[in-house]
Amino acid sequence: MAARHFRSFGLFLRAAFHDKTSGRTRKTSYTSVKSYSASTGGEGAQIAAGQTVVSERRGPVVIVEINRPEVRNAVNQETAGRLLEELQAFDRDPDLKVAILHGKGGNFCAGYDLKMLANEKAALKLEQDVRKDPGPMGPSRLQLSKPLIAAVSGFAVAGGLELALLADLRVMEESAIMGVFCRRFGVPLIDGGTVRLPRLIGLSRALDLILTGRPVGAQEALAYGLANRVVPSGQALQASLQLAEEISSFPQRCLRADRSSAVHSCFDASSFTQALQYEFDHGVPVIQEEAIRGAIKFTAGEGRGGKFSSD
């Protein structure tokens, strides 16, 4: 990809990147498309011709879908920026508890759009500090504060696999395929693939997939821990919605504190002791806010016998 292409790409995504210090999202130079994050808050999908990413709110859950089925949902510059924008908006929205990432038309995502790479011949120049720019796939460098579920159908390969790895949980259809298919063409994993994959499934298995690029079916992915659920073909989105609704029903501050501690211990903790301290520091405030209330419910008979609902 040409230097001019990646320079413009970096500027494009940087414009969409959320300013954490000011709490504002900067205006982007691409043509804006209406989504839940830019709407008046009404429920339901808002799909317009030419939108590369569409979204739909269902109560406390938002579905974010890549909408380029003609190229198996390969991500171009606009799509990367839109995905970043939508997931940042989700993370900021106090009414949303879980997001689902999905691909329209039968495929999750086939990675970055290689046709863009094929037409560029000049030298490559990228921002070297990963803290300053989003990844080429858009949201791949985000550290979300709330759960994200990947509803995987068809192909989730190359950069598409990296997007799936961004999620907390992956619901995979029995006919779906994951893999580092970019191995065949000399395209590196620079959206967190070599970082997240070994942490999820172990270095030995990760290297098997990274070095060979081979396809991985749903049952093997489940055995590896790469997939969390396997469902019949065509049902990943519905199963993900049911899972998201279940997660949304729990006390959220406690859930997010435990999630944050698990992620911290895996990626950021300097020692076992420091990880324990982080867990304690973030867990104790939850006791007063949610745990005492929960204990009262339990003593009144709720949840006895391992029940997770009042049905």
Side-chain angles (χ1 to χ4, degrees):
M1 193 175 297
R4 66 178 183 276
H5 174 77
F6 262 86
R7 278 196 294 269
S8 63
F9 180 53
L11 290 171
F12 172 87
L13 287 182
R14 209 175 300 144
F17 201 75
H18 177 55
D19 187 338
K20 291 184 178 178
T21 59
S22 67
R24 295 189 300 272
T25 301
R26 302 186 184 98
K27 296 292 184 181
T28 58
S29 58
Y30 59 87
T31 302
S32 63
V33 289
K34 194 173 184 182
S35 68
Y36 90 86
S37 58
S39 73
T40 58
E43 303 261 333
Q46 301 170 3
I47 302 174
Q51 276 189 246
T52 61
V53 176
V54 296
S55 60
E56 177 182 357
R57 290 180 78 136
R58 298 199 186 182
V61 178
V62 63
I63 304 166
V64 178
E65 295 184 288
I66 304 173
N67 187 33
R68 302 188 77 215
E70 70 281 2
V71 289
R72 292 182 176 174
N73 292 319
V75 169
N76 60 7
Q77 290 183 30
E78 180 185 354
T79 309
R82 292 286 297 117
L83 285 171
L84 177 66
E85 182 183 73
E86 289 294 340
L87 289 182
Q88 286 177 325
F90 153 70
D91 213 39
R92 293 192 303 269
D93 192 324
D95 295 326
L96 291 171
K97 298 177 180 179
V98 181
I100 297 171
L101 185 59
H102 183 241
K104 294 187 74 68
N107 287 289
F108 181 75
C109 176
Y112 196 77
D113 192 341
L114 294 186
K115 291 181 180 178
M116 297 184 68
L117 281 172
N119 293 325
E120 300 292 348
K121 306 298 181 183
L124 176 65
K125 185 177 181 180
L126 286 169
E127 170 58 58
Q128 295 299 303
D129 190 340
V130 298
R131 297 169 297 180
K132 294 181 179 179
D133 267 348
M137 295 295 292
S140 57
R141 294 174 186 166
L142 289 181
Q143 292 180 301
L144 296 169
S145 65
K146 297 182 281 190
L148 173 66
I149 299 171
V152 179
S153 56
F155 287 102
V157 296
L161 172 62
E162 292 181 289
L163 286 181
L165 296 176
L166 173 66
D168 298 80
L169 302 171
R170 284 152 294 281
V171 177
M172 191 171 178
E173 293 181 3
E174 59 189 4
S175 58
I177 297 292
M178 292 183 176
V180 186
F181 281 19
C182 50
R183 179 59 54 233
R184 301 168 295 168
F185 305 114
V187 179
L189 298 171
I190 55 173
D191 281 273
T194 64
V195 178
R196 293 188 176 102
L197 190 61
R199 295 299 181 111
L200 287 174
I201 67 173
L203 180 61
S204 178
R205 286 171 168 171
L207 285 175
D208 179 10
L209 304 190
I210 291 169
L211 296 178
T212 67
R214 66 180 180 84
V216 177
Q219 290 303 324
E220 184 179 12
L222 182 65
Y224 276 13
L226 183 54
N228 301 93
R229 309 279 193 281
V230 172
V231 298
S233 296
Q235 295 186 22
L237 182 56
Q238 184 58 40
S240 295
L241 275 168
Q242 292 174 356
L243 182 58
E245 289 167 358
E246 178 185 347
I247 293 170
S248 297
S249 71
F250 297 132
Q252 290 297 296
R253 185 170 180 187
C254 180
L255 181 143
R256 292 172 194 170
D258 287 348
R259 173 188 179 276
S260 175
S261 179
V263 173
H264 177 83
S265 70
C266 186
F267 289 101
D268 296 319
S270 58
S271 68
F272 178 69
T273 301
Q274 193 277 325
L276 287 175
Q277 190 66 57
Y278 184 98
E279 178 188 62
F280 182 82
D281 291 344
H282 289 76
V284 166
V286 174
I287 295 175
Q288 189 66 37
E289 183 171 334
E290 292 182 345
I292 294 175
R293 191 184 318 142
I296 293 171
K297 289 181 179 180
F298 176 77
T299 58
E302 186 172 324
R304 296 293 178 88
K307 286 186 178 180
F308 273 73
S309 71
S310 57
D311 297 337

